[in-house]
Amino acid sequence: TQLLEQSPQFLSIQEGENLTVYCNSSSVFSSLQWYRQEPGEGPVLLVTVVTGGEVKKLKRLTFQFGDARKDSSLHITAAQPGDTGLYLCAGVVSGGGADGLTFGKGTHLIIQP
Amino acid sequence: SQTIHQWPATLVQPVGSPLSLECTVEGTSNPNLYWYRQAAGRGLQLLFYSVGIGQISSEVPQNLSASRPQDRQFILSSKKLLLSDSGFYLCAWSPSPQSNQPQHFGDGTRLSIL
């Protein structure tokens, strides 16, 4: 059983379109992070959200943490080819220790020019 | 600023051969250190983590082992590689104690077992 479910697994859209990807769980997380990974490289941190209902913006990317801290979403406005990559969400389970970071399987995003 | 280095970037090894992957962190002290394996369609699987020199916790039983001989050095090893050990291996660090801190990753090692 996957603790963090990400959807969709794959998404291919045209440049300029908007999109939302989701990260869901039945567990409560004390914080949740989003990473982007390009082929042959390690994941790079985009944002950390810690408060239920929190919204953070990073240029055209908007991240939201659910009120109950069980889910999160990433919305991209006017997607560009440079947004292509694997988007991973990862959560710190409430009460977790040094090994508390749990990763979803990721959403493979392709933005076609 | 903190940096993390992993090497080699790619490695092709025959079945049954030994393995040693190295990871070092610069610019921080007493970090938590992690080894992950990433296989297609399976996400990141935590293999080992360490909260200090000589302290290793294993998450999954396997023929791999890890060691932390120095504060900022983390080594992944195997005495005899299996075909199933193929994958993309990632080292990561986070501030200690972790408590809501993100993990920062190296560029990974692509390991192919023939």
Side-chain angles (χ1 to χ4, degrees):
Chain A
T1 303
Q2 188 72 14
L3 194 58
L4 276 170
E5 297 285 348
Q6 288 191 246
S7 61
Q9 290 185 35
F10 298 94
L11 183 60
S12 179
I13 63 172
Q14 294 295 123
E15 181 178 1
E17 294 183 12
N18 302 332
L19 67 108
T20 303
V21 298
Y22 301 92
C23 177
N24 296 298
S25 178
S26 58
S27 299
V28 176
F29 291 89
S30 57
S31 72
L32 200 139
Q33 292 135 24
W34 284 92
Y35 295 80
R36 184 171 75 201
Q37 184 179 19
E38 299 192 21
E41 299 181 7
V44 175
L45 179 71
L46 296 174
V47 76
T48 300
V49 286
V50 296
T51 306
E54 181 177 4
V55 176
K56 282 192 173 179
K57 292 193 174 183
L58 186 66
K59 297 182 180 179
R60 294 175 292 100
L61 279 60
T62 302
F63 304 86
Q64 184 162 7
F65 201 13
D67 291 340
R69 291 184 289 132
K70 293 182 177 182
D71 54 84
S72 180
S73 63
L74 158 60
H75 182 79
I76 301 179
T77 303
Q80 298 178 2
D83 296 327
T84 292
L86 175 66
Y87 288 81
L88 295 159
C89 69
V92 178
V93 177
S94 290
D99 63 336
L101 194 62
T102 302
F103 281 84
K105 291 185 179 181
T107 292
H108 293 266
L109 176 63
I110 296 175
I111 309 300
Q112 302 188 31
Chain B
S1 62
Q2 301 89 1
T3 56
I4 180 169
H5 301 280
Q6 240 188 283
W7 67 93
T10 59
L11 190 59
V12 181
Q13 292 284 98
V15 170
S17 64
L19 171 75
S20 181
L21 302 181
E22 191 162 342
C23 172
T24 59
V25 180
E26 296 177 358
T28 187
S29 297
N30 196 31
N32 290 337
L33 296 171
Y34 308 83
W35 278 111
Y36 290 87
R37 178 168 58 208
Q38 186 176 31
R42 296 187 63 184
L44 271 70
Q45 180 187 30
L46 179 64
L47 302 175
F48 300 95
Y49 70 93
S50 172
V51 299
I53 296 175
Q55 300 178 60
I56 308 294
S57 296
S58 175
E59 289 296 300
V60 288
Q62 60 215 325
N63 68 318
L64 300 171
S65 62
S67 62
R68 186 170 176 173
Q70 300 180 42
D71 181 44
R72 292 168 288 175
Q73 184 185 28
F74 206 23
I75 298 172
L76 183 69
S77 304
S78 174
K79 292 181 179 178
K80 282 187 176 182
L81 286 167
L82 306 173
L83 280 173
S84 58
D85 291 325
S86 291
F88 191 50
Y89 288 81
L90 288 158
C91 180
W93 74 273
S94 67
S96 178
Q98 184 176 342
S99 184
N100 291 337
Q101 297 295 322
Q103 294 183 10
H104 304 275
F105 289 83
D107 285 336
T109 295
R110 175 70 59 189
L111 176 63
S112 299
I113 310 300
L114 304 180

